[in-house]
């Protein structure tokens, strides 16, 4: 039963959340409730993948294969940066962020919008470390459900990460030799 009247369970929980948020953040305005929603969404997302894997009868490996772990790590790194920093994916982030300026080769610096409803999502989508949790989970589920297609996509992302490293290395060598 969810009574919203003064003193009901819902209003008590909301009051507790406001007190925790204020005590934790002071005047910093950290969106604790938004983080709680994001964690709940991630739990639902991973639970959905787990249910799908189980319903399809896919066996879990006894232990991770080192090659798959390395491939997943590099693919997760590259896809997370592509989603959270690349110029070309800025339309996906735009509803939740504000453009600040360029940040490194082909990357942008964006900040989360201050609107409470969009702040948490803005922080999530501009943080490659935050996005990587979702990406790694998705790639892991993909390996269990569609191993060949997922490994092919991860191979392409890994090749892209290698190409990026070579481009940056080449640029640094040109700058070093030409004094630019």
């Amino acid at each position: 039963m969810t009574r919203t009247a003064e003193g009901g369970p819902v209003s008590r929980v909301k009051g507790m959340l406001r007190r925790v948020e204020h005590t934790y953040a002071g005047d910093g305005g950290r969106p604790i409730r938004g983080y709680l929603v994001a964690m709940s969404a991630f739990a639902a997302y991973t639970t959905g993948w787990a249910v799908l894997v189980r319903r399809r009868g896919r066996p879990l490996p006894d232990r991770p294969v080192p090659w798959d772990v390395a491939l997943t790590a590099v693919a997760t790194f590259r896809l997370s940066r592509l989603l959270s920093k690349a110029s070309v994916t800025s339309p996906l982030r735009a509803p939740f962020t504000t453009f600040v300026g360029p940040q490194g080769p082909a990357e942008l610096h964006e900040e989360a919008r201050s609107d409470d409803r969009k702040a948490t999502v803005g922080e999530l989508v501009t943080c490659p470390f935050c996005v990587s949790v979702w990406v790694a989970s998705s790639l892991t589920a993909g390996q269990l459900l569609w191993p060949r297609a997922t490994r092919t996509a991860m191979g392409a992302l890994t090749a892209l990460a290698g190409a990026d490293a070579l481009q940056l290395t080449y640029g640094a060598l040109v700058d070093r030799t030409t004094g630019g």
Side-chain angles (χ1 to χ4, degrees):
M1 178 170 160
T2 57
R3 291 185 344 211
T4 57
E6 189 68 33
V10 171
S11 64
R12 284 197 301 265
V13 168
K14 285 181 178 179
M16 182 195 68
L17 282 173
R18 277 192 295 275
R19 285 189 302 279
V20 167
E21 209 166 27
H22 179 72
T23 303
Y24 175 77
D27 292 332
R30 303 301 302 154
I32 297 298
R33 283 178 273 178
Y35 295 155
L36 186 58
V37 169
M39 289 189 314
S40 298
F42 182 75
Y45 180 72
T46 55
T47 299
W49 278 120
V51 167
L52 186 57
V53 168
R54 184 177 177 104
R55 282 192 178 160
R56 294 253 178 115
R58 299 292 184 162
L60 295 176
D62 290 332
R63 61 182 166 275
V65 177
W67 172 249
D68 283 343
V69 172
L71 191 63
T72 304
V74 176
T76 296
F77 162 78
R78 187 64 201 107
L79 186 54
S80 296
R81 296 222 50 102
L82 181 66
L83 292 172
S84 65
K85 296 291 183 184
S87 301
V88 72
T89 56
S90 62
L92 302 174
R93 299 184 303 273
F96 310 101
T97 62
T98 302
F99 174 75
V100 176
Q103 177 184 348
E107 291 192 343
L108 302 178
H109 174 66
E110 298 162 322
E111 292 184 358
R113 295 202 180 179
S114 58
D115 177 358
D116 285 341
R117 292 174 304 207
K118 295 183 179 184
T120 304
V121 176
E123 283 190 37
L124 173 67
V125 300
T126 59
C127 170
F129 299 98
C130 304
V131 171
S132 69
V133 174
W134 292 76
V135 169
S137 296
S138 299
L139 293 175
T140 300
Q143 288 178 71
L144 294 170
L145 294 167
W146 310 284
R148 291 178 67 191
T150 302
R151 284 191 184 96
T152 300
M154 290 191 319
L157 288 164
T158 298
L160 182 58
D164 290 348
L166 290 170
Q167 294 287 2
L168 293 170
T169 301
Y170 178 81
L173 288 172
V174 168
D175 287 348
R176 181 186 249 182
T177 58
T178 62

